[in-house]
């Protein structure tokens, strides 16, 4: 990684209050992402500076909300976001990275192998067809679908007391207001992503009254 991007990552981790001990793994992941991006079309973001901000730091901004969680499914994970950065920092949490795109899941398996991430399981499947043996404490996504659809199509993946974590822009207020009664927003958290001007938020959703 270029020195400027590496320095930016270090400053961002410090701003988020995260231990820099995992910075080398994040750097290695980003190097792999940039290497595989052109042939596999993993992300529209091309520069390493933008990848640091919009991918790594954005993904890690939800860390304080996941520290006690043990099983997470990252649906529509794409290039492994937010799953891989979170898995690097939460080695005791099991992450399933779910995506239907074979090129992307091959990339994810390469990352898991090269970084020796034992807490990652890569699954290539459509979310509607994926039925794990054990349900999840959290289903998380950055860009899988609007909030209502995300909850509807992943409902079978979540444990009874589980939560959906939807990482959104601040323009997602309309998605929250349109949410079906089957689902209830437990809280919203304003995410402070270092060096990012765009406002970001986390909507934490639980099963609503009709599902109790």
């Amino acid at each position: 990684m270029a020195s400027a991007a590496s320095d930016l990552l270090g400053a961002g981790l410090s701003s988020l209050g995260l231990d820099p001990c995992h910075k080398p793994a994040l750097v290695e992941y980003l190097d792999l992402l940039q290497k595989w991006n052109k042939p596999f079309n993993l992300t529209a973001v091309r520069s390493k500076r933008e990848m640091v901000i919009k991918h790594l730091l954005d993904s890690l901004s939800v860390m304080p909300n996941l520290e006690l969680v043990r099983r997470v499914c990252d649906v529509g994970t794409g290039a492994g976001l937010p799953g891989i950065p979170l898995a690097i920092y939460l080695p005791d949490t099991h992450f399933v990275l779910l995506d239907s795109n074979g090129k992307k899941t091959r990339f994810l398996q390469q990352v898991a192998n090269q970084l020796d991430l034992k807490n990652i399981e890569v699954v290539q499947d459509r979310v509607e067809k994926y039925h794990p043996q054990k349900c999840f404490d959290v289903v998380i996504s950055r860009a899988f679908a609007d909030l209502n659809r995300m909850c509807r199509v992943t409902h079978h993946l979540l444990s009874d007391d589980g939560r959906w974590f939807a990482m959104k822009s601040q323009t997602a207020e309309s998605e929250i207001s349109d949410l079906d009664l089957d689902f209830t927003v437990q809280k919203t958290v304003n995410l402070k992503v270092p060096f990012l001007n765009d406002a970001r938020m986390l909507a934490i959703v639980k099963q609503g009254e009709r599902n109790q």
Side-chain angles (χ1 to χ4, degrees):
M1 179 190 287
S3 175
S6 178
D7 291 345
L8 186 73
L9 176 58
L13 294 175
S14 177
S15 179
L16 289 171
L18 296 177
D19 193 323
C21 67
H22 294 298
K23 180 181 170 184
L26 293 173
V27 168
E28 190 172 359
Y29 165 55
L30 215 56
D31 286 341
L32 287 169
L33 180 56
Q34 191 163 61
K35 176 183 176 181
W36 286 56
N37 194 30
K38 188 172 182 180
F40 277 25
N41 193 29
L42 299 169
T43 172
V45 178
R46 302 297 180 188
S47 79
K48 280 198 170 177
R49 174 185 168 80
E50 292 299 296
M51 286 182 178
V52 166
I53 298 170
K54 294 182 178 179
H55 289 338
L56 297 186
L57 298 180
D58 182 74
S59 295
L60 291 169
S61 66
V62 300
M63 271 279 296
N65 302 279
L66 282 169
E67 289 176 345
L68 299 178
V69 172
R70 287 294 167 257
R71 280 182 59 79
V72 177
C73 183
D74 179 5
V75 295
T77 184
L81 300 159
I84 287 177
L86 292 172
I88 288 171
Y89 266 89
L90 297 168
D92 294 329
T93 301
H94 182 75
F95 285 83
V96 168
L97 307 183
L98 178 64
D99 204 282
S100 61
N101 186 296
K103 285 185 177 181
K104 291 177 180 177
T105 54
R106 287 196 295 277
F107 165 73
L108 296 173
Q109 194 59 63
Q110 175 66 24
V111 172
N113 292 342
Q114 189 161 327
L115 272 62
D116 196 28
L117 296 173
K118 306 291 190 187
N119 59 329
I120 279 181
E121 178 186 351
V122 178
V123 176
Q124 182 190 349
D125 207 347
R126 292 184 59 83
V127 65
E128 300 89 343
K129 295 182 178 180
Y130 173 53
H131 293 276
Q133 290 186 338
K134 186 177 180 182
C135 289
F136 296 92
D137 305 315
V138 165
V139 170
I140 194 170
S141 181
R142 290 204 318 164
F144 171 67
D146 67 77
L147 191 54
N148 214 44
R149 182 170 184 272
M150 174 187 173
C151 294
R152 284 245 168 256
V153 301
T154 65
H155 185 267
H156 63 289
L157 302 179
L158 207 62
S159 63
D160 290 341
D161 58 350
R163 299 290 183 268
W164 288 276
F165 278 31
M167 300 174 68
K168 297 285 185 179
S169 69
Q170 291 287 7
T171 58
E173 295 294 343
S174 61
E175 293 184 31
I176 292 173
S177 62
D178 291 340
L179 198 61
D180 289 352
L181 290 177
D182 293 328
F183 315 110
T184 300
V185 176
Q186 186 176 31
K187 67 176 178 176
T188 59
V189 180
N190 292 327
L191 299 175
K192 296 187 187 226
V193 181
F195 316 114
L196 184 68
N197 293 326
D198 300 334
R200 298 282 286 154
M201 67 176 283
L202 172 67
I204 300 178
V205 181
K206 64 178 182 177
Q207 297 186 66
E209 296 175 0
R210 293 197 299 209
N211 278 335
Q212 297 301 312

